[in-house]
Amino acid sequence: GILPLQGHVVRNWKVRWFVLLQDKLLYYKIEGGKKEPSPKGRILLDGCTITCPCLEYENRPLLIKLKTKTNTDYFLECCSREERDSWALDITGAIHAGHPVQVQELHRMKNSFKLLENISLHNIVERMYDSSTGIKLTRNLDQGNRYKETFTGSALVDWLISHSFAVSRFEAVTLASMLMDENFLRPVGVRSTEATRSSDPSEKFLDDSTALYMFAESSKKNTSSKEEVHFNISELSGTIVKQGFLMKQGHKRKNWKVRKFVLRADPAFLHYYDPTKEDNKPVGGFSLRGCLVSALEDNGVPAGVKGNVQGNLFKIITKNDIDYYIQASSKAERVQWIEAIKPLT
């Protein structure tokens, strides 16, 4: 699949096509809408350590970090938590392939904690923010310091259980730790901050009425940057239905670039971002109302498409008759995108 990778010498982000083999991860350059025939580099997985979630870059919460035996660091960026966790699981499986006991342990972990698949952490946080049914924010004292807008660990555990996000206190603590790992929540005050240093994941979050937490976003919520004016805020307010890396043909120069596409509903928009840029603002987008979307045949290159493309193309024609040619990295991915876009047109 296609993922951004951070360079070693020049610390910029480049988009590469990754292929996971049994003992290594190969990456290829993408030229003219096609993955180049020979790999640009390889990451040997034997003796590699993987960190996921990796929070070294505050504005890139979806990173996987791989440290090789020779201490080279690779940072790969995914598009969604689901995609990140599935890459991390596959890579971890490959790292431990020579050690069957660890592989069994990995599968046991994956099967014992089913929470991730049916619950989105974003959804939980959105519900927590809800002014009527969300978690109540109060002023709390911790060792003489007064904190506004906080909640206690035990209040969050109670809230998660009462809203059916977890069945037991243990499950709620695990979920709260994940929210903290993913930078949705942060500890406030001495008690909860010290607990985060624990090496045992089940002790990082305290189910305790003296441990304080707050939304990590609350400080950022009020600041909005001036530059976002080109994109109407309402366009970007819809629920994210799907996101992923696809190749898009430019309108003027007809060259192919990898873009991160984000599909939103209510209002239905498709925006695309440059994954090598830090600012996380869309570089383009359009309303899906009245659009036509269709797969293009893989035999031969359709008129209007330049470059020696890989295949798996689809086309979106907007209400104003603008054609977008987009390329997925596999047939299955193309089908998923078309099926996700169609109901929103």
Side-chain angles (χ1 to χ4, degrees):
I2 297 169
L3 300 174
L5 166 74
Q6 191 186 53
H8 298 299
V9 189
V10 183
R11 294 261 173 218
N12 55 353
W13 292 87
K14 298 191 170 68
V15 179
R16 295 290 179 253
W17 187 302
F18 282 85
V19 177
L20 178 61
L21 302 177
Q22 217 170 353
D23 56 345
K24 56 181 164 289
L25 196 55
L26 301 179
Y27 53 94
Y28 298 78
K29 277 177 85 166
I30 302 166
E31 272 305 320
K34 209 174 170 134
K35 118 174 176 254
E36 288 196 335
S38 51
K40 173 92 177 109
R42 56 175 54 81
I43 303 171
L44 296 174
L45 296 176
D46 183 45
C48 228
T49 53
I50 181 169
T51 310
C52 172
C54 161
L55 303 175
E56 286 187 30
Y57 291 88
E58 201 177 297
N59 56 347
R60 292 179 180 265
L62 300 177
L63 288 184
I64 295 172
K65 176 183 178 180
L66 291 173
K67 191 188 246 331
T68 64
K69 222 182 196 164
T70 56
N71 280 338
T72 308
D73 290 348
Y74 290 90
F75 292 93
L76 315 181
E77 184 174 41
C78 298
C79 240
S80 62
R81 292 184 157 72
E82 295 71 26
E83 184 193 36
R84 183 199 61 193
D85 294 345
S86 119
W87 271 98
L89 204 89
D90 290 345
I91 293 170
T92 309
I95 292 173
H96 294 319
H99 318 282
V101 179
Q102 278 166 313
V103 173
Q104 277 173 346
E105 180 62 17
L106 207 71
H107 282 294
R108 201 180 60 70
M109 266 168 51
K110 189 185 176 189
N111 295 333
S112 68
F113 200 62
K114 272 281 178 276
L115 208 55
L116 272 179
E117 286 160 38
N118 52 8
I119 289 181
S120 110
L121 295 181
H122 269 290
N123 176 21
I124 294 177
V125 175
E126 261 170 42
R127 293 275 299 277
M128 284 175 73
Y129 271 117
D130 187 290
S131 53
S132 55
T133 58
I135 191 153
K136 297 284 169 272
L137 299 177
T138 51
R139 287 169 176 270
N140 280 297
L141 282 171
D142 177 85
Q143 304 202 349
N145 291 323
R146 186 181 285 280
Y147 294 102
K148 288 196 306 193
E149 310 264 288
T150 53
F151 43 87
T152 66
S154 52
L156 177 57
V157 169
D158 293 344
W159 185 89
L160 288 167
I161 293 170
S162 67
H163 286 76
S164 310
F165 287 119
V167 280
S168 63
R169 295 194 86 78
F170 171 74
E171 218 173 77
V173 165
T174 312
L175 190 50
S177 310
M178 283 159 62
L179 289 168
M180 212 160 55
D181 273 349
E182 300 289 5
N183 262 3
F184 284 121
L185 307 181
R186 62 189 182 84
V188 183
V190 183
R191 184 105 214 281
S192 55
T193 308
E194 277 180 357
T196 57
R197 301 198 179 100
S198 160
S199 56
D200 181 347
S202 67
E203 290 167 15
K204 278 189 160 59
F205 180 88
L206 299 175
D207 175 5
D208 186 312
S209 59
T210 61
L212 302 183
Y213 298 90
M214 71 188 295
F215 289 119
E217 282 294 314
S218 56
S219 52
K220 299 177 200 166
K221 265 269 185 284
N222 313 332
T223 59
S224 89
S225 88
K226 292 277 182 285
E227 290 179 62
E228 278 166 16
V229 183
H230 332 301
F231 281 93
N232 185 337
I233 296 300
S234 69
E235 302 185 12
L236 298 168
S237 66
T239 312
I240 294 180
V241 177
K242 185 170 174 56
Q243 45 187 334
F245 298 104
L246 297 166
M247 284 176 273
K248 174 190 158 298
Q249 183 174 267
H251 288 299
K252 298 192 182 96
R253 293 173 54 199
K254 305 284 187 213
N255 53 347
W256 288 91
K257 291 213 165 88
V258 172
R259 293 290 177 246
K260 173 182 169 179
F261 278 82
V262 177
L263 177 63
R264 292 181 173 90
D266 292 324
F269 271 84
L270 186 59
H271 289 100
Y272 47 95
Y273 299 73
D274 182 343
T276 62
K277 293 258 193 308
E278 292 287 342
D279 63 7
N280 210 18
K281 295 194 181 68
V283 290
F286 50 91
S287 164
L288 290 172
R289 277 275 154 76
C291 281
L292 295 171
V293 57
S294 58
L296 296 174
E297 289 308 318
D298 284 340
N299 45 9
V301 179
V305 172
K306 292 270 191 306
N308 186 4
V309 293
Q310 198 101 7
N312 308 315
L313 287 166
F314 62 100
K315 178 180 181 178
I316 301 175
I317 306 173
T318 67
K319 201 167 72 174
N320 311 334
D321 282 337
I322 299 171
D323 294 1
Y324 286 86
Y325 290 100
I326 300 169
Q327 190 178 173
S329 52
S330 68
K331 277 205 165 38
E333 188 182 45
R334 171 172 70 179
V335 169
Q336 286 165 9
W337 273 98
I338 292 175
E339 284 179 359
I341 292 168
K342 267 208 169 119
L344 300 176
T345 58

